Amino acid sequence: MNTSTEALPVVVIGAGPAGLAAAAHLTERGLTPLVLETGTAAGGAVREWGHVRLFSTWSELVDPAAEKLLAPTGWTAPDGATYPSGADWAERYLQPLADALGERVHYGATVTGVSRLGRDRIVDADREQQPFTVRILNSDGTEKRILASAVIDASGTWSTPGPIGGDGLPALGEKAAADRISYRIPDLKDPAVRARYAGRRTAVIGSGASAFTALAYLADLSEAENGTGTHAVWVLRRGISGSTFGGGTADRLPARGALGLAAKAAVDDGHADAVTGFRTDAVQRDSDGRLVLVAEDGRRLDPVDEVIVLTGLRPDLSFVSELRLALDERLQAPLELAPLIDPNQHSCGTVHPHGVNELSHPEQGIYLVGMKSYGRAPTFLAMTGYEQVRSIAAHLAGDQEAAERVELTLPETGVCGGAGLFDQPQAAEETSGGCCAAPTTLTIGSPASSSGGC
């Protein structure tokens, strides 16, 4: 069967920041987007961390094409110099944008598979002439198939957090201890969540901005009236070096730098103990039901009441497994993008602006964008995603000159002393080149608005 794709929509998976921006750019280009969102509202994943404040200002979190689409609705842009929470971002920008897109956004629609119509991954014959077929599971339990001219996968990585195990697998006993393990930054304003951690000893596993935030939250709780006895154990797979706490006051994103300083203060003030070079192999319970973390080298930590695992996120590639994707074997990011963001290759992860060329695959017409495009690489910036989808929309509309014209100014991402150096804290300091202490800005083309992130 050969079905013309000209009248078919471009399916966008996910009504988050990148997905809705993609829909706005496609609309501006005269193309028809169809956004499929598994949740009941826009920004489902963002809402789950709604209590966390972003380290980017509003001016860096609103896509230009989206703003144009919102203007006729009477939408008022928030103060560009202020920092929203995740809930603010969802309610004051993402949901109004989804509402402006109207029937082009479908809720309660979970994508379970994407392929070529009548062609599995193996078949070559007339493959590029066939439309994409997108299988959907609706919230009412019914299934549906939608045909598409192209697919933009902006489903993110939120649903697949990294496990405790230092080898990338769940630690032995991790699943059995699920009642005392969380993979999210706790919302300590929620009374039930606050009671879970108040006065207790909690292990925080991870070395990024999320771990910094959790440590700062727990430190604040320990100083609160009902938080006496609250203490954190910060578990690091690498040693502590000059880059451990990020760029500090030199960070081009000041709020992000402040997170690292808050984590350092939590350690310096005695609210958290840092345990370095500890790659967890097993989680065991003691006679009181508390958890004991055991390292690969046999070290055992004193029992803790709770564990917060913030070891990064990874893409769910299961529903695009019938497509021919070119992904880096380490990061699971598009092959051409991976060298630009791989922390094993760069002491600091300056990300060159990029678009359709870096995001294309052997299977023409499928694009992984936003957080998902980074695979397992850390520190994605929102404006990077907006530039990605602008370029892709231009390409799909036949405007290749615009697709390849990238004008974006990006600050350092702060990815210093990459994963390959976790056993060599001194090397991390020596090879960092001071980039985290004194970030530089890379400008391509004429000046544009600086990027933001989440």
Side-chain angles (χ1 to χ4, degrees):
M1 178 180 179
N2 191 309
T3 303
S4 172
T5 64
E6 293 180 3
L8 297 177
V10 176
V11 163
V12 179
I13 305 173
L20 292 174
H25 281 279
L26 291 167
T27 299
E28 185 176 56
R29 288 282 182 173
L31 301 175
T32 302
L34 178 59
V35 183
L36 303 175
E37 166 60 39
T38 189
T40 58
V46 174
R47 292 173 190 272
E48 289 194 31
W49 51 266
H51 57 290
V52 179
R53 192 162 300 280
L54 285 87
F55 51 66
S56 295
T57 61
W58 270 114
S59 65
E60 299 158 336
L61 296 169
V62 175
D63 174 78
E67 191 166 12
K68 291 179 185 177
L69 190 63
L70 283 164
T73 70
W75 179 77
T76 301
D79 182 351
T82 60
Y83 295 88
S85 66
D88 294 333
W89 201 17
E91 291 298 333
R92 300 180 62 187
Y93 169 64
L94 298 178
Q95 193 59 57
L97 178 55
D99 293 343
L101 288 164
E103 294 182 353
R104 287 165 283 193
V105 180
H106 290 197
Y107 299 107
T110 300
V111 174
T112 59
V114 182
S115 187
R116 288 282 187 178
L117 184 64
R119 306 289 188 275
D120 64 19
R121 184 175 180 140
I122 299 175
V123 178
D124 288 334
D126 299 324
R127 185 176 189 86
E128 298 299 337
Q129 285 71 51
Q130 302 304 312
F132 289 95
T133 177
V134 182
R135 187 69 59 84
I136 300 168
L137 177 64
N138 294 310
S139 55
D140 62 4
T142 60
E143 289 187 289
K144 186 176 181 179
R145 185 183 70 187
I146 292 176
L147 299 183
S149 59
V151 175
I152 298 176
D153 182 357
S155 59
T157 55
W158 179 254
S159 65
T160 46
I164 291 177
D167 55 8
L169 301 175
L172 298 176
E174 180 174 345
K175 294 181 180 179
D179 59 317
R180 295 201 172 206
I181 299 175
S182 171
Y183 299 85
R184 310 300 187 197
I185 298 170
D187 181 4
L188 297 181
K189 293 182 180 179
D190 182 320
V193 176
R194 192 177 184 87
R196 176 175 178 174
Y197 296 99
R200 296 176 181 269
R201 179 178 166 87
T202 299
V204 177
I205 305 176
S207 60
S210 294
F212 293 167
T213 303
L215 290 168
Y217 283 5
L218 291 171
D220 287 343
L221 177 57
S222 69
E223 295 180 341
E225 184 177 350
N226 62 348
T228 303
T230 304
H231 193 77
V233 180
W234 187 19
V235 181
L236 293 150
R237 293 174 180 170
R238 65 179 72 182
I240 290 182
S241 71
S243 64
T244 296
F245 298 100
T249 56
D251 198 313
R252 294 282 180 171
L253 297 175
R256 181 181 62 191
L259 285 177
L261 294 177
K264 187 176 187 301
V267 175
D268 291 345
D269 295 342
H271 300 304
D273 299 321
V275 179
T276 61
F278 193 100
R279 292 191 294 279
T280 309
D281 178 67
V283 180
Q284 300 175 355
R285 288 188 189 265
D286 68 5
S287 57
D288 295 325
R290 303 174 80 198
L291 301 184
V292 177
L293 302 182
V294 183
E296 292 175 358
D297 60 11
R299 280 185 293 162
R300 301 170 66 88
L301 297 186
D302 290 338
V304 296
D305 300 289
E306 300 286 341
V307 177
I308 298 174
V309 186
L310 300 167
T311 55
L313 303 163
R314 53 186 61 177
D316 177 6
L317 300 168
S318 62
F319 58 87
V320 290
S321 62
E322 286 303 316
L323 299 177
R324 298 173 177 180
L325 303 180
L327 298 175
D328 179 74
E329 67 272 14
R330 294 180 297 276
L331 299 184
Q332 296 178 296
L335 207 54
E336 295 299 318
L337 174 60
L340 305 180
I341 60 176
D342 188 350
N344 287 295
Q345 297 186 27
H346 304 283
S347 61
C348 280
T350 302
V351 180
H352 295 256
H354 55 278
V356 67
N357 290 339
E358 292 83 0
L359 298 171
S360 293
H361 296 275
E363 191 84 67
Q364 297 179 25
I366 173 69
Y367 306 96
L368 312 184
V369 303
M371 284 287 295
K372 192 162 188 175
S373 72
Y374 270 40
R376 299 189 182 204
T379 322
F380 179 78
L381 300 174
M383 287 297 284
T384 300
Y386 297 159
E387 176 64 11
Q388 289 177 344
V389 298
R390 182 208 63 78
S391 175
I392 290 168
H395 170 74
L396 292 176
D399 188 349
Q400 195 62 22
E401 188 277 330
E404 295 183 1
R405 185 184 66 243
V406 180
E407 297 179 357
L408 183 63
T409 304
L410 290 171
E412 296 282 0
T413 66
V415 185
C416 294
L421 300 175
F422 65 81
D423 278 328
Q424 306 169 46
Q426 286 302 117
E429 286 190 280
E430 293 168 4
T431 60
S432 69
C435 61
C436 282
T440 58
T441 300
L442 174 70
T443 304
I444 301 294
S446 60
S449 60
S450 62
S451 77
C454 44

